[in-house]
Amino acid sequence: MLIGVPKEIKVHEYRVGLTPDAVRELSHHGHRVLVQAGAGAGIGASDADYKEAGAGIAPDAASVFAQADMIVKVKEPQAAECRMLRPGQLLFTYLHLAPDPEQAKLLMASGCTAIAYETVTDAQGGLPLLAPMSEVAGRMAVQVGAVALQKASGGRGVLLGGVPGVPAGDVVVIGGGTVGTHAARMAVGLGARVTILDKSLPRLRQLDELFDGRVTTQYSTLHALDAAVTQADLVVGAVLVPGAAAPKLVKRAQLGRMRPGSVVVDVAIDQGGCFETSRATTHEDPTYVVDGVVHYCVANMPGAVARTSTYALNNATLPFTLALANKGWKQACAEDRHLCAGLNVHAGRITYAAVAQALNLPYTAAAEALLDQPTALLVA
């Protein structure tokens, strides 16, 4: 199979779909890889590094999309990239379709088959291709939140760890999954006072044991959420409904009762955000203020630490990329229900229930999509 790796074009996105190490593995299995010139610059990988690993170098994205059987990316395809996809072509990347009807329509119109990293599952019910970026984003959330709390950044002027004689900052983490756990780990490491809210008592017990009493775990009710958020210096939104739009858990009225200069970091912004006042920002202009509260809502947070993120992501995605290349998407998905859970779009149809529901579009079960491959449906 010919696998194409275009350069990412989302604002300040420096990651790349395949590392040279991953290219070497694919080449070893008899596949050809075509990488756009300069695609790896953001992680310190030169075109020469890719050539040495066995890749060909294409002058532009159009050449990659025109020739490749499978496109491997990191971020969701932008409009120009969607229009370069074609019927029968396979796209393997993050999609986050639930809050993005325009991308969904363009992918449907292209006739491609799109498998989303974020909905591939594992035997434990986890999301193995989302986990590495959730780990990065969770750790970054506290890092960027701490900077946003500085007075020069518009914050309250609070040092999260405090100093002797001055209390540490209060960090509230909404959601005890991968993002929340890693955010809490960083906040505890800085010496902050940390509260984690979640609706799963088993998960709260796990977190209590994991942190050995260094965090406060609290069952998430409306009252508990309100009390915690309004007293926090930093709130990290770390909720996830796989494939679906994030619930708006924190309302504007609650934010309005936070102290001026407090900070919210909405890691769920890729799925629409969990704060009512959230809107996606970029690394170029990452924050804005609503009712005196600083909002950090960058939709590709791990892109800022591109080298770490790309290698962590490739460690997780490479086995699936190999399976798709070795077997073709139909056989690979038929043999692996966890990979099949990643199928979001096929030949003009939405094949992931939560996405179809969020966008009010017809739903075709992935199992049905495996049975045929009709021509693309045109979407107005």
Side-chain angles (χ1 to χ4, degrees):
M1 182 179 284
L2 177 55
I3 300 157
V5 183
K7 182 179 175 66
E8 297 291 329
I9 59 174
K10 193 178 180 85
V11 176
H12 285 284
E13 179 53 71
Y14 302 107
R15 290 172 289 180
V16 63
L18 293 175
T19 63
D21 291 347
V23 169
R24 188 179 301 277
E25 288 292 325
L26 288 160
S27 298
H28 175 72
H29 283 79
H31 303 291
R32 293 179 296 149
V33 183
L34 187 63
V35 178
Q36 183 179 347
I43 66 165
S46 68
D47 292 348
D49 292 330
Y50 280 103
K51 285 182 179 179
E52 186 179 349
I57 304 299
D60 51 38
S63 300
V64 174
F65 278 86
Q67 297 179 61
D69 304 304
M70 173 166 62
I71 298 292
V72 177
K73 282 176 40 65
V74 178
K75 287 307 293 176
E76 70 279 359
Q78 305 301 288
E81 294 174 309
C82 288
R83 294 186 178 100
M84 287 190 281
L85 292 164
R86 63 179 186 272
Q89 195 169 39
L90 178 62
L91 172 66
F92 193 35
T93 189
Y94 287 117
L95 293 177
H96 300 293
L97 288 175
D100 194 350
E102 186 59 31
Q103 185 202 166
K105 289 181 179 179
L106 287 170
L107 289 178
M108 292 168 70
S110 76
C112 79
T113 297
I115 296 177
Y117 293 160
E118 73 272 12
T119 63
V120 172
T121 58
D122 62 22
Q124 291 73 45
L127 302 170
L129 306 192
L130 189 61
M133 295 305 92
S134 295
E135 292 166 355
V136 171
R139 294 183 180 217
M140 279 190 67
V142 173
Q143 181 175 302
V144 299
V147 172
L149 274 169
Q150 296 175 15
K151 199 65 181 176
S153 302
R156 294 189 68 218
V158 170
L159 181 66
L160 281 181
V163 293
V166 181
D170 288 300
V171 176
V172 170
V173 180
I174 307 173
T178 303
V179 170
T181 300
H182 284 264
R185 189 186 299 276
M186 288 291 284
V188 167
L190 288 173
R193 296 177 296 193
V194 182
T195 299
I196 306 175
L197 295 104
D198 200 280
K199 283 189 170 294
S200 168
L201 283 175
R203 183 57 184 162
L204 291 175
R205 291 190 184 100
Q206 291 172 348
L207 291 167
D208 187 64
E209 293 178 6
L210 176 66
F211 287 102
D212 196 24
R214 291 173 295 165
V215 304
T216 298
T217 57
Q218 196 163 2
Y219 186 78
S220 185
T221 63
L222 291 174
H223 174 75
L225 183 66
D226 184 77
V229 165
T230 54
Q231 294 302 309
D233 296 300
L234 168 62
V235 182
V236 177
V239 297
L240 173 70
V241 179
K248 302 293 185 184
L249 296 180
V250 180
K251 308 300 181 185
R252 182 166 185 169
Q254 292 168 299
L255 288 167
R257 298 200 306 278
M258 292 178 71
R259 290 169 291 205
S262 299
V263 174
V264 298
V265 177
D266 197 342
V267 185
I269 194 65
D270 272 330
Q271 295 295 121
C274 61
F275 299 93
E276 190 175 48
T277 46
S278 291
R279 57 176 173 79
T281 60
T282 67
H283 290 294
E284 192 171 55
D285 188 15
T287 64
Y288 61 93
V289 178
V290 177
D291 295 340
V293 176
V294 180
H295 290 56
Y296 181 101
C297 303
V298 174
N300 59 327
M301 288 176 64
V305 287
R307 185 174 177 86
T308 297
S309 297
T310 296
Y311 278 91
L313 180 60
N314 270 231
N315 289 341
T317 58
L318 182 57
F320 295 97
T321 305
L322 277 168
L324 289 166
N326 290 342
K327 303 173 182 178
W329 77 268
K330 278 192 174 184
Q331 183 181 345
C333 287
E335 294 180 0
D336 185 349
R337 62 186 176 86
H338 300 297
L339 178 57
C340 193
L343 189 64
N344 276 219
V345 180
H346 169 64
R349 296 176 290 178
I350 298 294
T351 54
Y352 196 84
V355 170
Q357 182 178 9
L359 299 179
N360 195 28
L361 289 169
Y363 166 62
T364 299
E368 183 180 335
L370 290 176
L371 299 176
D372 66 350
Q373 194 169 355
T375 56
L377 302 176
L378 296 180
V379 179

